Amino acid sequence: MATLPVISISPYVLKETSTERERLATSEALHKACRDFGFFYLDISSFASDAEMNDLMGLARKFFALPQKRKDLISIRNEDSVRGYQRLKENVTGGKADNHEAIDLYAPVDNPDKTKPLWGTNQWPSDVKYFRSTYEAWIEKMKVLGMIVMEASVLFASPPLYQVLIPSFFQSMAIGLGMTPDEWEGLKGCVDHSFWVMRIIGYPPLPDDHDGFSCGAHKDYGCLTFLLADPTQDALQVFVPRSLAAANQMASSSTIKLPKEEGTSNGVWIYANPLPGCVVCNIGEMWEVWTRGMYKSTLHRVIHRGNNYRVSLPFFFEPNFDALVKPLAAVVRAQEASGEKIDNDIYTPVVYGEFLKSKVTNNFSETTPATARL
């Protein structure tokens, strides 16, 4: 049965040995995946080793295996209410407690002040040797990957080259985002100090009587998510329009009713099971604003009913905190040329940091002290 697209990023990682044709093919695949699904597998085997990924998983498991009182030493209550450890069911999605525990890390800020929303200091476990250094190295690596994927997505080579190499791609006007070099520099200036987020999540099996999900249906907030997960099957689910699922021969993952966010939308949930050497990549709501709906952020959720303890490590490559996110001129040009009608009221400019604050306000249970909430 077919699954989400699998795209190798190696032509952009190994530029010295790849060809222009290979890079263009990668960009075409990225564009189609972002446009059609908002979710895809990114093969990063040329960029990150299995040993690196296994080390991250092992360290996460060591932390989650600690006694509760040791994990609570880095509770979010010590900081700005978002940086640090959250107990099982302390995270809330759609008004219901999620059945997972986690450590959340955010981009460091100047002059930290834990009384200000999102402006605290990251907390690191001292009980697990090499934890901080290993995760800091991975974070730096994911920041580089974020810029690589951004560049591969904008695809600003000249149109004649597309006409020669990929004529059908050019004729369909699907030449990535078709940005000029100057426009790419402007977009790059919105992500060059990414206000990234790293989550280290542990999922015990979902109890049969739990009124909710391991992680409820949601869309990611920012730009790009790179999810590294252990081999657990049938946990992460992605919402796909029924017509697209049928065209790609995708099977529905479950008969569980759609979340309220979708109402009566005609779609199905499919599994996004982990693949060796790959991260699952999806686009966030800011990419949807930038592309004025050409790329749409996709609902996803976790329902883990297996017998094992699942570990998931999403890295969120986000815009700069003070970035003004608004529809890109290249996208507006393409949509106007095609005669596509867009509801501009949906994609109004937004400052990312303010948008993020509004989103995380309801992410935690009412047991979080009121003075620490955003």
Side-chain angles (χ1 to χ4, degrees), residues 17-264:
T17 57
S18 67
T19 66
E20 186 73 13
R21 184 186 293 271
E22 290 170 331
R23 292 192 292 276
L24 288 173
T26 295
S27 292
E28 177 187 11
L30 283 170
H31 173 69
K32 287 183 175 179
C34 290
R35 181 194 63 198
D36 296 345
F37 296 97
F39 255 85
F40 52 94
Y41 292 98
L42 195 66
D43 184 340
I44 62 168
S45 55
S46 62
F47 183 72
S49 69
D50 289 343
E52 288 176 278
M53 294 185 266
N54 290 337
D55 285 347
L56 292 163
M57 287 293 170
L59 291 170
R61 290 188 181 281
K62 285 182 180 179
F63 172 79
F64 290 125
L66 292 173
Q68 188 64 54
K69 64 179 181 180
R70 301 302 299 172
K71 293 184 284 190
D72 287 340
L73 291 175
I74 59 168
S75 168
I76 56 174
R77 300 163 191 267
N78 302 334
E79 267 298 329
D80 56 6
S81 235
V82 296
R83 297 173 190 256
Y85 170 72
Q86 305 126 44
R87 280 187 169 210
L88 193 66
K89 301 182 182 180
E90 194 168 9
N91 199 87
V92 173
T93 304
K96 289 187 176 182
D98 292 320
N99 197 59
H100 69 250
E101 56 183 330
I103 300 175
D104 282 11
L105 307 165
Y106 285 73
V109 297
D110 294 331
N111 305 311
D113 181 348
K114 66 181 180 180
T115 67
K116 295 180 179 180
L118 299 165
W119 223 248
T121 303
N122 288 329
Q123 301 183 81
W124 297 92
S126 59
D127 292 12
V128 182
K129 196 173 181 180
Y130 304 122
F131 190 100
R132 178 171 182 171
S133 60
T134 303
Y135 273 93
E136 284 184 330
W138 184 253
I139 287 166
E140 290 305 310
K141 200 153 198 164
M142 292 299 97
K143 287 163 62 178
V144 172
L145 182 62
M147 292 301 293
I148 291 172
V149 176
M150 290 285 288
E151 180 184 355
S153 299
V154 301
L155 203 61
F156 51 73
S158 60
L161 185 59
Y162 293 101
Q163 289 176 310
V164 171
L165 296 179
I166 316 177
S168 61
F169 188 34
F170 180 77
Q171 292 299 326
S172 70
M173 295 189 68
I175 52 171
L177 300 183
M179 298 178 72
T180 67
D182 285 345
E183 287 171 341
W184 161 235
E185 288 301 316
L187 178 58
K188 190 160 61 173
C190 290
V191 296
D192 55 355
H193 293 91
S194 170
F195 196 72
W196 55 263
V197 183
M198 177 86 213
R199 300 202 74 207
I200 303 160
I201 311 175
Y203 292 96
L206 190 65
D208 291 336
D209 61 350
H210 183 53
D211 183 22
F213 302 100
S214 303
C215 185
H218 65 283
K219 297 179 180 181
D220 291 343
Y221 307 149
C223 188
L224 295 165
T225 302
F226 303 126
L227 170 67
L228 175 64
D230 71 16
T232 301
Q233 302 292 294
D234 300 344
L236 174 62
Q237 300 179 354
V238 178
F239 184 79
V240 176
R242 191 176 299 278
S243 58
L244 189 60
N248 290 275
Q249 298 182 317
M250 293 175 168
S252 174
S253 63
S254 71
T255 58
I256 297 174
K257 66 181 180 180
L258 300 179
K260 63 182 180 181
E261 293 94 332
E262 283 301 322
T264 57

Side-chain angles (χ1 to χ4, degrees), residues 232-343:
T232 301
Q233 302 292 294
D234 300 344
L236 174 62
Q237 300 179 354
V238 178
F239 184 79
V240 176
R242 191 176 299 278
S243 58
L244 189 60
N248 290 275
Q249 298 182 317
M250 293 175 168
S252 174
S253 63
S254 71
T255 58
I256 297 174
K257 66 181 180 180
L258 300 179
K260 63 182 180 181
E261 293 94 332
E262 283 301 322
T264 57
S265 291
N266 192 12
V268 298
W269 290 97
I270 65 167
Y271 286 121
N273 288 328
L275 295 178
C278 294
V279 292
V280 176
C281 182
N282 63 281
I283 61 172
E285 292 180 87
M286 294 299 94
W287 247 134
E288 185 168 340
V289 174
W290 268 323
T291 62
R292 210 160 62 146
M294 182 185 293
Y295 299 167
K296 284 188 168 59
S297 185
T298 305
L299 274 175
H300 50 289
R301 68 187 184 189
V302 178
I303 302 177
H304 174 42
R305 295 195 180 279
N307 296 320
N308 64 309
Y309 187 96
R310 177 178 183 261
V311 172
S312 170
L313 308 174
F315 177 86
F316 304 89
F317 182 78
E318 312 293 55
N320 300 347
F321 192 82
D322 59 355
L324 177 63
V325 180
K326 60 183 180 179
L328 298 167
V331 175
V332 174
R333 287 195 303 269
Q335 290 174 334
E336 289 179 348
S338 68
E340 184 178 355
K341 295 187 181 300
I342 301 294
D343 184 352

